[in-house]
Amino acid sequence: MKIIIASLLILGSVACAERSFIVEKEGVSIHAIEFRKDENLDFELIDGAKKKSYVSDHYSPESNIFTVNAGYFDGNLNPIGYFRIDGKAISTTRNPKLSGFITITDKGKLSLHWKDIPEGEYRDVLQAGPFIIDPGGTIGIHARSGKEAKRTVIGQTEDERILVLTTTEVFLYDLARILKSEIPELERALNLDGGPSVGLIYGDTRIKNANPVRNFLTKRKGEPDAAVNASQPAGLSENHLHD
C-alpha cells in the first residue's frame, strides 16, 4: 500500500514545490522527499568535523529545506571513504567496499555515480554504498544479510528527479524489493549510513540521530522566484515516522 501526501511549501517569498510522501509496505515505513529535475540545485554536504553533531545542529528553518545524515565514519568520527567538501579533500582514501559516490556541483546539482567519480570538477563528493538499486534500475541486493536497521537512501529517477528517503527498520534486500515495486521509476538508489545514525529534519518531520555523525546532506532555500504565483494554495504535510 502506498500513501502519498503532496506538499507545496511557501515560506515567506521563497517557494519550494517539492512533494513528500510515505510508503507503507510489509511493515516498513519509508519517508520520501522528492525534487523535480528543475529543483536539483542548492544541495550541499556539511562537515560536522569531529564534534558530536546531530541533524538539529545543522538545520535552520529559515535556511534549509531539509537536513539528513550522510556518510560513514569510524569511532573517532573520521570519514570512511572519499570525502570532499567545498573543494577540499577531507579524506582521500577510496574504500573498495563502497560502490558509489554522491557528487554536487558549484550550483548545488546532485548526482549519483557508480564505482568511480567521473571526470569533471565537483565542489562536494561523498563515497557511500552499496547501491541497493543499481544504475540502470536493477535490484542491487540479492540476499538478506546483516540485520534490520533504519536506513537513509538517496535515489535518482529515469527523468532525473532526486529522492531523499529515510526508513524504519528493514533489511537492505527487502528495501530494494519494496523500492522497485513501489517507486519503479527509480533508476538508481544509494545507501548512506543507517541504524542509530539516521536523522532527518524536514518541515514537521523530525527524526533525531541517536548517535552523533560526521557529515550531513542538506538543501538550502534558493532565491525568491518572481514567477511563483503567491495565490497558489499551500499545504504543509505533517509526517511523523518516529521521534
Side-chain angles (χ1 to χ4, degrees):
M1 178 176 64
K2 184 175 180 179
I3 302 174
I4 298 178
I5 307 174
S7 294
L8 176 62
L9 310 184
I10 298 182
L11 304 173
S13 58
V14 181
C16 313
E18 81 281 352
R19 69 175 190 136
S20 65
F21 59 91
I22 294 176
V23 173
E24 301 272 2
K25 189 169 184 178
E26 299 179 13
V28 179
S29 293
I30 303 170
H31 180 280
I33 314 168
E34 181 183 80
F35 301 92
R36 300 186 312 260
K37 178 180 179 179
D38 63 340
E39 296 172 321
N40 187 357
L41 72 167
D42 298 320
F43 287 97
E44 66 179 51
L45 292 171
I46 298 172
D47 185 17
K50 291 194 175 184
K51 300 176 182 178
K52 293 185 176 181
S53 294
Y54 298 86
V55 284
S56 56
D57 297 323
H58 300 281
Y59 173 83
S60 163
E62 291 78 26
S63 302
N64 306 94
I65 294 175
F66 76 88
T67 301
V68 71
N69 71 292
Y72 299 97
F73 52 92
D74 64 20
N76 294 314
L77 290 176
N78 296 308
I80 295 175
Y82 189 91
F83 179 40
R84 181 165 79 226
I85 190 166
D86 290 330
K88 178 182 178 181
I90 307 298
S91 171
T92 58
T93 302
R94 301 193 184 194
N95 191 314
K97 295 182 179 180
L98 299 177
S99 58
F101 295 86
I102 294 174
T103 63
I104 302 176
T105 68
D106 285 339
K107 293 184 178 180
K109 181 178 180 180
L110 184 151
S111 54
L112 303 176
H113 302 281
W114 172 259
K115 292 185 179 179
D116 206 355
I117 307 171
E119 293 184 8
E121 292 296 323
Y122 296 97
R123 184 193 65 209
D124 302 339
V125 180
L126 177 70
Q127 190 177 17
F131 271 104
I132 61 173
I133 301 294
D134 285 345
T138 59
I139 290 177
I141 306 294
H142 304 292
R144 281 198 185 112
S145 61
K147 61 181 181 179
E148 292 179 301
K150 299 174 185 177
R151 311 291 179 180
T152 301
V153 175
I154 303 299
Q156 188 173 314
T157 67
E158 297 168 354
D159 60 355
E160 299 184 45
R161 285 172 284 140
I162 299 296
L163 281 84
V164 179
L165 310 167
T166 53
T167 80
T168 53
E169 289 80 4
V170 62
F171 288 104
L172 284 179
Y173 172 74
D174 294 331
L175 179 57
R177 290 190 303 103
I178 293 170
L179 291 179
K180 186 65 178 176
S181 169
E182 300 302 308
I183 314 177
E185 64 271 25
L186 269 181
E187 192 272 335
R188 60 189 66 187
L190 184 65
N191 187 58
L192 303 183
D193 198 5
S197 294
V198 173
L200 169 70
I201 299 180
Y202 169 71
D204 285 350
T205 300
R206 290 178 175 263
I207 306 168
K208 181 179 179 180
N209 43 300
N211 289 351
V213 303
R214 173 64 194 242
N215 45 49
F216 303 84
L217 174 67
T218 193
K219 190 176 192 297
R220 296 202 172 273
K221 293 177 180 177
E223 295 298 321
D225 186 348
V228 172
N229 183 350
S231 65
Q232 195 169 5
L236 175 61
S237 64
E238 296 185 359
N239 303 332
H240 302 270
L241 286 187
H242 37 266
D243 296 319

